Amino acid sequence: MAAATVLPAPSEPEPQAENESVGTVIIAGLANLAIAAAKLVAGMLSGSAAMLSEAAHSFADTVTEVFLYVALRRGGKAADEEHPFGYGKESFVWAFIAALFTFVGGAGFSIYHGVTTIMTGEEGGDYLLSYIVLAVSFVAEGTSFLRAKRQVAGASRKWGITPYRFLRLTPDTTVKAVYFEDSAALIGLILAAVGLGLTELTGSEFWDGLSSIAIGLLLLVVATILARANVSLLVGRAVPRRMHNQIADDLAGIPVVTSVPTLLTMQLGPGDILVAAKVDFDDDVSGAEIEEASDEAERRLRARYPGIRYVFLDPTRGKAGRNHRDGGVDL
C-alpha cells in the first residue's frame, strides 16, 4: 500500500455494519441447512460419493455459521472490569473454531469418502435427482454469495481499496468466512456435477470418488486460509501499514509534538483498535499543553478512524523528525 494515500474513514455506523454481518451469517446458515438436507437425500438415493461429500460440506458450513453467529454476539459484548478492553478477541476464537470444524467435518469426510469410493468402486444409482439438487443448490448458494460479495464490495469502496485486498486486511472474520465458504460451495457444486457427469459417461466410479476428494481438498484450503487469519488476529495483529503511517502522521502533525519514535497498534476485535505511542513533546511546553495535545491527538485519530477505541501516549525523549513509519501489516 502506498504510504502517501490517506485511508478514508468508513461513513457507516458500526451497529449497522454488525447487523449486516449478522444478516449475512443467518441467510448463509439457513441456505446451507436446507441445501445439506437435499444433498443428503440425493446422495443416499444415488449412492454418489460426490453428493454425500457435498452434503457433508453443507452441514459443516451450517455448523460454521452457528459458530460465526456466536462470534458476532460474544465479540460484541461491552467491556467490563474483568475484560477492560472488551470481548472483541472472542469473536476470533469462535471464528477459529469454525475454521477447524470445516477442516475436520467437511474436508476430512469428503477426502475419506472419495478414497473409499475409488477403492471399492461401488456402483451408483439414478443421478437425475442429484443434478436437480445441484442446480437448486447453485442458485441458493449463489444468492448467499452475492449478498456477501455486495458487503465486501461496499466495505472495500469505503476504504478505497480493492475487494481482494479488503479480504486480506479485514478483521471482520465473519464476512471473510461467509465469502470464502460460499465461493468454495459454488466451486464444489461444479466439481460434483463434473464428477457425476464423467461417472455416467464412463461408467467408472473413479470420477465420482475423485470429485469427492477434490471437494475435500478445496475445503482444506479454505479452512487453512481462515484458520491462519484468525490465529494472526488472536496473537494480536497490528493495523494495515497505510493506516499505521497515517496515525503516525496525525500524531506528528500536532504542533507541540517533535517526533513519534514508537507507535504500536493492535486489533482488539473486528471493530476495535488500540493505539499506544511514545511521543516526544517540545521541551518548552507545559504539562497542561501536553494534556491538551494528548486530547487533540485522540480526537484526530478517532475522527479519521472511528474504530480506534483506546489511545495511550507516553511522553518520551526522541529526535526531531524521527517517526515510527512503515510499521503495521503490509499485505
Side-chain angles (χ1 to χ4, degrees):
M1 288 184 173
T5 306
V6 177
L7 273 172
S11 59
E12 187 175 82
E14 288 179 20
Q16 290 184 15
E18 181 180 346
N19 290 337
E20 188 177 8
S21 296
V22 171
T24 299
V25 168
I26 290 176
I27 289 175
L30 293 175
N32 283 325
L33 182 60
I35 291 169
K39 288 177 180 176
L40 179 61
V41 172
M44 293 178 67
L45 292 177
S46 66
S48 167
M51 282 303 298
L52 291 175
S53 295
E54 273 297 296
H57 181 174
S58 293
F59 274 122
D61 283 352
T62 301
V63 177
T64 295
E65 305 305 337
V66 173
F67 284 134
L68 294 177
Y69 180 80
V70 173
L72 285 170
R73 290 308 186 194
R74 294 287 301 174
K77 291 175 60 179
D80 52 35
E81 289 298 324
E82 188 174 353
H83 297 86
F85 292 110
Y87 290 78
K89 283 185 179 291
E90 188 169 349
S91 63
F92 304 147
V93 174
W94 287 101
F96 178 72
I97 294 174
L100 290 181
F101 189 85
T102 298
F103 176 84
V104 177
F109 176 84
S110 298
I111 294 173
Y112 170 79
H113 199 61
V115 171
T116 302
T117 298
I118 292 175
M119 293 179 65
T120 60
E122 297 179 356
E123 293 187 5
D126 185 8
Y127 291 153
L128 177 60
L129 179 60
S130 296
Y131 288 127
I132 295 174
V133 170
L134 287 175
V136 174
S137 299
F138 195 88
V139 174
E141 293 285 7
T143 301
S144 177
F145 172 74
L146 288 176
R147 179 185 174 91
K149 184 179 180 181
R150 281 196 300 270
Q151 186 173 356
V152 169
S156 62
R157 281 196 300 270
K158 292 172 191 172
W159 288 101
I161 56 179
T162 64
Y164 174 73
R165 188 170 290 276
F166 172 80
L167 285 170
R168 295 178 65 184
L169 293 172
T170 180
D172 191 342
T173 53
T174 56
V175 173
K176 182 185 294 187
V178 171
Y179 185 91
F180 278 108
E181 286 171 2
D182 285 347
S183 300
L186 292 173
I187 297 172
L189 291 170
I190 295 173
L191 290 174
V194 171
L196 290 176
L198 290 174
T199 298
E200 277 199 307
L201 287 174
T202 63
S204 171
E205 295 297 322
F206 169 80
W207 299 108
D208 189 32
L210 184 63
S211 176
S212 179
I213 294 173
I215 292 170
L217 293 176
L218 176 65
L219 289 174
L220 187 63
V221 171
V222 171
T224 301
I225 292 173
L226 295 177
R228 288 184 62 184
N230 284 291
V231 167
S232 175
L233 290 164
L234 277 170
V235 171
R237 199 183 75 184
V239 300
R241 178 160 298 174
R242 189 167 66 172
M243 181 186 257
H244 174 102
N245 288 342
Q246 186 60 54
I247 292 172
D249 290 344
D250 283 347
L251 292 175
I254 296 174
V256 297
V257 172
T258 302
S259 65
V260 184
T262 302
L263 174 60
L264 305 175
T265 62
M266 184 167 61
Q267 199 77 48
L268 297 176
D272 294 334
I273 298 170
L274 179 146
V275 175
K278 287 183 176 293
V279 179
D280 181 21
F281 292 96
D282 193 314
D283 293 337
D284 296 329
V285 301
S286 64
E289 289 175 300
I290 291 177
E291 291 175 353
E292 183 179 347
S294 298
D295 289 340
E296 173 62 20
E298 190 166 354
R299 284 194 298 270
R300 284 191 183 191
L301 295 183
R302 287 186 173 176
R304 188 181 298 278
Y305 301 116
I308 293 178
R309 288 289 174 268
Y310 306 95
V311 179
F312 300 105
L313 303 182
D314 178 19
T316 188
R317 292 185 180 276
K319 295 182 179 180
R322 184 69 62 85
N323 297 318
H324 183 184
R325 292 181 56 82
D326 296 330
V329 183
D330 184 21
L331 295 176

